[in-house]
Every structure is written in C-alpha cells, then in structure tokens.
Amino acid sequence: MPKQTIVLPAIRIRQGNQHIFAFGVDGKRVHEFAAVSRVHRTDQTLAGYQRPEVLSHIRAIRRYLESDAALLPNAIVLAFDSRVEFRALDDDTSEVAYSTVGHLIIPMDPELADDEKPAWLVDGQQRSAAIRDADLEEFPVAAVGFIAKDEAEQRSQFILVNNTKPLPKGLIHELLPTTTAELPAAYARRRLPASVLNTLNFGVDGGEGPFTGRISTPTMANGYIRDNSVLKMIENSLYEGALYQYRNSEDGTGDIPSILMHLNFFWGAVEQVFPSAWRLPPTKSRLTHGAGIQSLGYVMDTLTEGVPAAELPGLGIEEVLIELREHCAWTEGTWDFGPDQVRRWNGIQNTPNDVRLLTSHLLRHVRASGVLAIRR
C-alpha cells in the first residue's frame, strides 16, 4: 500500500473512448511520483523511451526559472499506470458531456525505485529537470496525463507527442519495434525494417551475425556502422528487392526469421571476403560507410531476388564476391569508374549520386563476370 497520496484537482476530458486529465502540479514534486525512463537495454530487451538529458538546455531553463516573472505555459505530459485514480465530484455541474471535474489520486512512496513509480514523464523531461534543480520553493506547472495500459502504449505516445520535434532518429528506430499504436505513414513504413535492424544488432536468441554489435544506436554506443545506412538497405530490399518475398504488403508485417537468415547469409559472405574492411569504421573503410552498405545491398538484391533464404547456400555468393574483390577499393587505392572517373578510395560520399555510381560499378562487374548464371 502507498505510504501517502497526492490529490490534485483535475478535469477529465473524453477523447473517443479514452480520457486525458488536465491539472496543475508543483513541478518540484513531479519526480516524487513520476520517473524519467532514459532509453537503455537490459540484456537484449529495450527499456525506457526518453532521450538523454541535455545539460546545457537544462541549465538555460533553470536560469530563466530563477529570474523574475518566469513563465512555462507548455504542459508536461505524464503517462499513468492503473494505480492512479480519477474521482469525479458528486456535485459536478458541467454542461458538456465530454468534460468532468474531479480529483486525481496519485499514490506516492519514497522507497519506490524509478521503474516502480506510478507515472512516466512522456514529454517535458528537461523542463522538469530544470524545475527540480532550480533554487525555488515551488513552481506549479500545467500538466496533461493519461492512463496507459502498458509500456508499449507509453512508447507509442512518446513518439506521437514528439513527432513535430527534432527527436533523434536513432532513438525512434529503437522504439518503433516496441510500439503498438497507429503511427504516421513514414514511421509505419519503417517499423518492420527497424525490427529487423534491432534484431540484427542484438542477436537472435543469443546468436550472432555479421552485424551483431556493429550498428551504432543510442543503446549500442560502440557500434560503428550508422543505423540509418543499414535501415535504408533493409527498407530498399523489403519494398523493392530480395526481401520483398518475406513482407506482407497488407499489414506491413514480415517473416522476420527468414529475413534475418537471408541478410545474415549474404552479409556473412561479405564479412568472409572482406574481413579487414568489415571491422573498420567508415572513416577507414568505405565498406562500412553508408555508400558501401547501400550499394552492396543492391548487389544482394540483384543476386538473390526471388531466391528463398534456405536456398542461398547453393548459389555460390561468396565466389561472386571474391571475383568482385579486385574491383573494390574499400580501404586503399582507387576506384576506377571509367574515363575521367578515377577516385581515391575515400572519395566516395554518402550521397544519392555516389551511391548510384558505386552501385553501377559493382553491378557492372557482377554482370560482366557472368556470375548471374548461378541463378539460372
């Protein structure tokens, strides 16, 4: 049982078949019952959903709050669990059916760990941190809350609330697979690719593949291959290439085990043929650079489109890549793209034009070698 509660006057507003609660609360007390869950991983499981605090921004807000006539009109957003209760006033005289006056009853226990508190801060992390640290007795703020059935719904609301803000793309990519709500079309399109990327990066049931631990994300700080490069490669293939065969176009889901098998087989061959270049960061290797990842993704599509993952071992993909090796300059030398088109190894940039140039170069030599006959 909670050791105490905080009772706040509130207005319950009906939106469809759900409710939100508008209320005021002393910002100094928000952290007593609400946690800020910064995104992290426990083993291979994603936990939390907030971006890391930006200390310089917090300091700037704090200085403003400690000045005369400080005003924060924007509401913070809180996701409550089922322990939070709304009690309507018996004498409610509201003339509209969608709005009810009452009180929010929020349990508090100072002994609870952050992940056990009854509320999560969905939006307003830096404002609340600044209020917490400010040299002030109190600072009431406007707040809006909703009761979420689980953490997946909290993550969905976090993405939707921050949809118009410069939320780090890497954070969105890690959160998308664990969301359940309807999302904007651009996010919905990337939910399956993001699920595949995260599974590649963190392993399948403890197993490892060529991308395991190598993709840079908010929770994989030691990764050196940019997540957006891998995401583009996966997305291109799912919608227009070899991985299309595993995607359900009606609901946007896919056969993830088969997708992973397909990707791990091809990129495992890449790792075997170019071992040194695969282990270097993009500044030292154009293989792990955005241009290299995307271009070899198109090579994968050309060689394996329409071929089920189980049949890939019989195609001789590694032999194809070995023949291609003499035409690659991932870490040294020059790229020979034709007359007046010779570039240093690191002269390739992650631009649409250079990706097309490198892709055409690789596919030209794949086709010239006659290796496409392996698919006949």
Side-chain angles (χ1 to χ4, degrees):
M1 293 294 291
K3 296 188 175 181
Q4 62 185 55
T5 59
I6 180 172
V7 180
L8 300 170
I11 298 176
R12 182 180 63 188
I13 302 169
R14 176 174 50 79
Q15 293 183 334
N17 59 356
Q18 301 188 78
H19 295 94
I20 61 172
F21 308 96
F23 57 98
V25 61
D26 181 3
K28 285 286 190 181
R29 303 198 67 186
V30 168
H31 291 267
E32 294 179 20
F33 59 85
V36 178
S37 182
R38 296 174 184 84
V39 66
H40 62 280
R41 285 190 181 267
T42 303
D43 296 326
Q44 294 183 4
T45 303
L46 185 70
Y49 51 87
Q50 270 284 17
R51 69 189 105 187
E53 290 184 352
V54 180
L55 296 181
S56 60
H57 189 201
I58 292 173
R59 285 193 294 268
I61 299 174
R62 176 181 173 178
R63 287 194 298 269
Y64 169 71
L65 293 174
E66 294 174 346
S67 67
D68 294 335
L71 182 68
L72 285 181
N74 293 340
I76 63 173
V77 180
L78 294 158
F80 297 117
D81 65 22
S82 58
R83 288 173 288 177
V84 175
E85 178 186 358
F86 177 81
R87 294 179 186 172
L89 292 180
D90 293 337
D91 58 349
D92 181 22
T93 57
S94 174
E95 295 181 359
V96 291
Y98 55 76
S99 181
T100 304
V101 177
H103 291 94
L104 275 178
I105 316 297
I106 304 173
M108 293 197 306
D109 185 342
E111 297 180 2
L112 289 179
D114 267 8
D115 60 358
E116 297 175 331
K117 291 180 178 179
W120 299 82
L121 195 58
V122 174
D123 188 44
Q125 172 191 10
Q126 289 156 29
R127 279 169 283 156
S128 66
I131 295 170
R132 176 196 61 204
D133 298 339
D135 186 16
L136 299 166
E137 289 295 324
E138 65 174 8
F139 194 91
V141 294
V144 173
F146 62 93
I147 295 178
K149 63 179 181 291
D150 53 33
E151 194 166 317
E153 182 178 350
Q154 292 172 357
R155 292 188 181 122
S156 300
Q157 290 298 325
F158 174 66
I159 290 176
L160 294 171
V161 166
N162 288 280
N163 186 32
T164 59
K165 298 182 179 181
L167 195 64
K169 288 184 179 180
L171 177 55
I172 292 179
H173 299 159
E174 287 212 68
L175 295 174
L176 281 176
T178 59
T179 60
T180 55
E182 291 292 327
L183 296 173
Y187 288 156
R189 178 184 172 94
R190 284 202 157 181
R191 181 147 41 190
L192 176 58
S195 297
V196 174
L197 181 147
N198 285 336
T199 309
L200 283 174
N201 204 18
F202 293 93
V204 183
D205 296 328
E208 293 189 356
F211 283 106
T212 303
R214 290 189 165 96
I215 305 173
S216 175
T217 70
T219 61
M220 185 63 74
N222 294 328
Y224 53 84
I225 302 175
R226 287 192 59 187
D227 59 343
N228 202 45
S229 301
V230 181
L231 194 67
K232 284 182 179 179
M233 178 270 293
I234 296 171
E235 187 175 358
N236 289 338
S237 188
L238 278 171
Y239 284 89
E240 299 178 0
L243 301 182
Y244 179 85
Q245 62 186 309
Y246 309 118
R247 186 174 69 86
N248 185 330
S249 59
E250 293 183 1
D251 61 9
T253 61
D255 180 359
I256 291 183
S258 294
I259 294 171
L260 294 171
M261 185 185 303
H262 201 118
L263 288 167
N264 281 331
F265 185 87
F266 178 82
W267 289 97
V270 170
E271 182 182 22
Q272 289 297 314
V273 174
F274 306 105
S276 298
W278 186 249
R279 295 186 180 93
L280 294 173
T283 55
K284 297 181 179 180
S285 169
R286 278 325 189 235
L287 175 58
T288 57
H289 188 267
I293 295 293
Q294 292 178 72
S295 297
L296 276 174
Y298 289 120
V299 171
M300 177 189 74
D301 291 337
T302 299
L303 292 175
T304 67
E305 187 170 9
V307 181
E311 298 179 16
L312 293 181
L315 288 184
I317 290 175
E318 190 168 322
E319 289 78 4
V320 174
L321 296 174
I322 290 173
E323 289 196 35
L324 192 60
R325 188 163 50 191
E326 66 179 288
H327 305 290
C328 297
W330 299 123
T331 61
E332 61 183 1
T334 57
W335 295 96
D336 184 3
F337 296 131
D340 302 321
Q341 284 281 6
V342 176
R343 294 199 195 180
R344 283 173 51 86
W345 72 270
N346 58 355
I348 297 294
Q349 303 303 318
N350 190 18
T351 64
N353 286 340
D354 279 10
V355 170
R356 282 193 294 269
L357 182 65
L358 181 56
T359 300
S360 297
H361 170 77
L362 296 177
L363 290 180
R364 181 169 64 252
H365 289 289
V366 166
R367 293 180 177 119
S369 66
V371 294
L372 288 180
I374 63 174
R375 297 184 55 219
R376 303 295 193 274

